[in-house]
Amino acid sequence: MAAITTLSKPFSSSSSSSSYQPPDDYEYDVFLSFRCEDTRKNFTDHLYHALTKAGFRTFIGDGVNRAREYLSSEILQAIQGSRIFLIVLSRNYASSTWCLEELVEILRCRRRSNQLVVPIFYDVSPSDVRNQSGTFEQAFVEHGKRYFLNGDKVSIWRGALTEIANISGLNLETRNEVEFIRKIILYISLSSSSNQPPDDYEYEVFLSFRGEDTRKNFTDHLYYALTEAGIHTFRDDEEIRKGENLSSELLQAIRGARIALIVLSKDYASSRWCLDELVEIMECRKRLKQRVIPIFYHVSPSDVSKQMGSFEQAFVEHEKRYLLDKDIVRRWRGALTEAATLKGWNLYDSCEAEFIRNIIKVILSQLDNKYLFVALYPVGVNARMKDMTSLLCVGANDVRMVGILGMGGTGKTTIAKAIYNEFYLHFEGSSFLGNVRETSKQQHGLVHLQKQLLSKTLRTGKMTGKIEVSSVDRGIIMISKRFRHKRVLVIVDDVDQLGQLNALAGSRDWFGLGSRIIITTRDVQLLENFKVDGIYRAKQMGDSESLELFSWHAFRNEYPAKDYEDISKSVVAYSGGLPLALEVLGSFLFNRSMQEWNSTLDKLKRIPNEKVQTKLRISYDALSDDTVKDTFLDISCFFIGMDKNYVVQILDGCGFFSKIGISVLIQRCLLTVDERNKLMMHDLLRDMGREIVRENYPKEPGKRSRLWLQEEVIDILTLHEGIEGVEGLTLKLPRSEVNFNTKTFIKMERLRLLQLDYAQLTGDYEYLSKELLWLRWHGFPLKFIPNNFYPRKIVAIDLRYSNLREVWKDPKLLNKLEVLNLSHSHDLTWTPDFSRLPNLKKLKLKDCTSLLELHQSIGDLHYLVLVNLKGCENLRSLPRSFYKLKSLETLILSDCSKIDHLTDDLGEMECLTTLRIDYTAIRTIPSTINRLKNLKHFSLRGCKGSQPRSSSLISPSKIPKSVNVLLESVQGLSSLK
C-alpha cells in the first residue's frame, strides 16, 4: 500500500526539518584529511597535485598549525565549504587528535548536508578502522590514558572511525599508487558530476500526466495554480510528444526540475510516453535526489502498485506490443510500483479546488527550503528569539511591523535570520533583504532592493520572467499592488534612513493580512517615525552566555581550557557582553599561547581591536553633523557617568547644541541615560570614540584633540609637549602631590575642557587657556583662585575638596558661569561676590563646614535654580536677600544644624519644588509656605520642635513618628508629595 499524506500536514522530509542547508557555492571541491607524518611527502602530495591538475579546488591545509587539539577556524571554514571529502586513513591516522577532530566535523557535515565522503584505506584494513584494532587499537590505548577524565571525547572518536569504515570507499590493494590515484580522480569526477543535483534548477516542478485524462481539467487547473503561486513549472505541449522516445527537451526538463509531480490517472499507464517519463523521473530521484510526489487522481494506490484495474488492462496491451522487449515492460512496472509506495495525495470525492490549494501549500513548503546561515555557535539565540516571537504574534490576522534595535555587534541580524528560518514557511512569500544600508548607497541600490523583494517573495524567474523595476517610484507601486492580498514575511536588515523603508515597506496597506515586517536598525527615531508596533532591544550577553560564546571561538569548546579560565573572564569582561567582540577576540586568540593572550589583553587597554571597531564605527560615521560627532567624542573621553543636564550645560557652552546632539546619540544606540539621569556608554563604544581621536596622531599624543590616558597626560604635562590642537585633557591623580608647571599650557590655546584632580601647578596661572569652558580640579591646592586666572568663557567650575578659604580676592566678571561646585571645601569661610556671576544657575556648597555666611548679593541671581548647603554646620542663617530668588527650584539645608528659622519671605519663592530642612534647628515653618503652589518634595526629618499649636495639617502618615514640628499652615500645598 502507498503511504498517503494527509493534506492538512506538509510532507515529512529530512531536508525540510533540518535547520542547515549546504552552501550554493562551495569554496572547495575537495577537502583532504590525512596524517601528515604518514603520507604528506608521498601519497597525499601526489594525490593533491593530481586533483589540482584535474581542476579540483582542493584544500590540503598547508601552513595550518596542527599542534593544538582543537581545529582552527580556517580548518572549520574549509570543511564547511567543501563539496567532497577524501579521508586518507593511514596506519597512524588515529594517533592524531587533530585528525580525529577533523573526521568528527566532516561526518557531522555529511549528516547535515549530505556532502560526499570517500574513505581511502591506505595500507590499513577497513576492519581495523571499524573495530579500532591493530595500530588503531594502540592509538586508543594512549588516548584512553590521556583523556581518562573525558571518556565522551574518546567515544566520539571511536564512533567516527566506525562510521567512516562503513562508507563505501577505495582500498589501496597494490603498490601501484599512480594507478590508484587515477582511480580516485575518476571516482570523484563521476561522483561530483552525475550524482549531484544541479546548483540552479531550471524548473521547480515537472508535471507528469496523461493528457487525455486530465489536461483540460485537473492538470490545467493545477498548472495555473502553481504558476500563480510563482512556482516555475514545466508542462509539456502535445506537439513535442512525437514518436515513441522521449525528446531531449523533455529529458532536460525532467533532469532540471527540483520536484516531479506525477498525476496518476485512470489511463496513465496506457501511454508509453508517460511510463518512459516515470522511469526517467525515478532514475532522477535516485541519482539527483529529486523529490517525487504522486497524486492519485481517482485511482487507488494499490491498483497502481500492483497494476490492477485499468493499469492491468494497459499492461495486457503492453505485453502484447512489446513481446520482444520484456525488459522495458519490467522497468515500467517497477517504476509504477516504486512511485505508488511514495508519500503523496489521494483525491477521493473532495473538492478539486481545495485539493489543489493544499497541494500548492505543501509544494511551497518543500520548495522554500531557503534557510539562512545564522551563526557558527548560536549561543543565546533561542532565548532572544523567544522574546521576539512574543512581539510578532505570527498567526494573528493583522499586519504587524516590529523593529530590532541595538548598537553595532549586538546580534540584530543574527536574531532576524533565526526568526526568518523559524517562520518563513508560515507565509505565502518571504524575503530577507540584507545589508540595506550599504546596498542603498550604490547606484540604483534601492531599485535593486525592490527587485530583490519582488522576485524573492513572488518567486519569479525563468518561467514567469524577471521582474523589471524602472525607478523607485515604480517599485513602490509594484510592491503595494503585488503584495496587497499576500501574506508575506519581509525582513529589512540594517536600515539607517527612513527613505529606505518608504521604498521597501512604506505602509501596512501594501501587505496582506497576517504579514510581518521586521526591521533591524541602530536608530530608534527611525522606528518611532515609522510607527512600528513593537521594538525588541537586542540584549547584551550576560556573563555566562558571554563566556560560553567566547569559549566556543577560542577553544572550540563550551568552557575555557584549563589554566585559561581567569584570563578568559578578563577578555569577556572587556567585551562587555557584545557578541561581535566575543567572536572576533575568541577567534583571534584561538590556538595562541598564554603570553600572546596577556599581550593582547594589554594592547586592548590602549588600542581596540580593529574588526570590532570597524563595525561599531558605522554608527559614528553615519552622523552627518560635526557638532554631534564632537559631542560623542567629548562624552566618550570625559563625561561618562555624569549628570546629563550638567553635561548639556557644558557642551552647549561649546556651541554643540547638545540637547539635540545627545538625543541623536541615544537614538543611534551610541549613548544611554540611566535611571539617575547619568550618561552611560558601552565600554567598547567608549573605546571606539577614543580610538577615533588617537588614530589621527597614534605616535604623537601631544597633538591629539583630547587626552585621557594618565601616563600620556603626565608625560605631556611634564615634558611640555601639549600644542594648540588639544581641546580637552583629563588627569585623575590619587590624593598625592604631583607638580607640574603652568607653562606646559602655553600652547594649549584651544583647551576647552580641563580636569586636574589633585594635581599641583606651579607658576603663573595666566598661561591657562582663555577658552576654558569646564574646569574640574578636585583637591584644588590654593587658598584662593589667582587673580590672573581669568577664564572668561567658563561655564562650570568644580573645585570639590579644595583648600579654598575664599574663592577670589578680586572677583572677575564671569557672565557665562552656570555651575559653581565648591562642596567639601572644609576651609571655605566666605562665598564670592555673586554680582560677578550674574548667570549662575547651580550653587553647590555641600559640607563646607567652615562657611559662616552667604554673600548678600546672592539675591541678585535671577537664574539660580539650585542651592545645596547640606552639612554647612556653621552657617547660622540665610541673608534676607536670599528670599528674592524667584527662580529657585531646589533648596537643601539638611544638616545645617545652626539654622533655626526661615522667614516669612519664604512664600515669595514661587518656583520652589524641593525643600529639605532635615536635622536643622528650625522649630517653626512660616505660614507663608502655603503660597508655594509648586512645592512637591518637602523633607524635615530630625527637626526638634514642639507640639503643633493647631491640628496636624500634614497627614500623620506623611511624617515619621520622630518628627515633632510646629506647622502653622501647609493646607495650600496641593502639589506636595
Side-chain angles (χ1 to χ4, degrees), residues 15-126:
S15 60
S16 62
S17 62
S18 169
S19 63
Y20 174 84
Q21 288 295 305
D24 292 331
D25 184 20
Y26 290 94
E27 187 176 359
Y28 299 102
D29 297 309
V30 176
F31 181 99
L32 265 177
S33 176
F34 59 96
R35 179 74 164 107
C36 290
E37 295 175 7
D38 284 359
T39 66
R40 178 64 182 92
K41 295 182 178 179
N42 41 65
F43 174 76
T44 300
D45 192 53
H46 300 152
L47 175 58
Y48 170 72
H49 287 293
L51 287 164
T52 304
K53 188 175 180 181
F56 290 100
R57 297 167 298 171
T58 305
F59 182 89
I60 196 170
D62 279 345
V64 174
N65 182 359
R66 297 173 182 253
R68 292 255 176 194
E69 296 176 6
Y70 304 106
L71 300 183
S72 68
S73 57
E74 182 184 355
I75 289 289
L76 284 172
Q77 187 175 345
I79 291 173
Q80 290 160 7
S82 297
R83 187 187 300 276
I84 299 173
F85 301 99
L86 293 182
I87 318 294
V88 182
L89 295 157
S90 55
R91 289 173 56 82
N92 294 307
Y93 185 91
S95 64
S96 165
T97 57
W98 183 283
C99 288
L100 294 172
E101 287 290 322
E102 235 177 36
L103 181 61
V104 168
E105 183 64 29
I106 288 168
L107 292 175
R108 189 180 291 133
C109 276
R110 177 177 181 260
R111 287 190 289 274
R112 287 185 311 202
S113 54
N114 206 29
Q115 285 151 292
L116 181 65
V117 176
V118 182
I120 298 171
F121 300 96
Y122 182 82
D123 268 353
V124 295
S125 159

Side-chain angles (χ1 to χ4, degrees), residues 47 497 650 836:
L47 175 58
Q497 300 291 332
I650 296 166
R836 313 303 288 166

Side-chain angles (χ1 to χ4, degrees), residues 444-455 466-479 482 503-504:
H444 309 304
L446 280 177
V447 169
H448 170 76
L449 288 166
Q450 288 175 325
K451 287 171 66 175
Q452 182 183 340
L453 174 58
L454 287 160
S455 60
K466 290 184 178 180
I467 292 283
E468 294 297 334
V469 180
S470 57
S471 67
V472 172
D473 290 338
R474 178 61 186 156
I476 288 173
I477 299 298
M478 293 173 70
I479 293 168
R482 300 295 295 274
L504 299 169

Side-chain angles (χ1 to χ4, degrees), residues 169 320 332 370 666 694 889:
K320 293 178 184 177
W332 291 343
K370 45 187 179 184
I666 292 170
R694 190 197 72 86
E889 297 173 4

Side-chain angles (χ1 to χ4, degrees), residues 62 95 431 446 458 515 648 803 810 877 953 967:
D62 279 345
S95 64
S431 182
L446 280 177
L458 298 173
S515 294
V648 165
N803 292 327
D810 182 17
S877 63
L953 299 175
L967 300 174

Side-chain angles (χ1 to χ4, degrees), residues 891-894 914-918 920 937-941:
L891 173 59
I892 302 174
L893 298 173
S894 303
T914 300
L915 177 60
R916 301 188 187 279
I917 56 173
D918 308 297
T920 62
H937 306 281
F938 181 27
S939 177
L940 36 79
R941 292 172 297 177

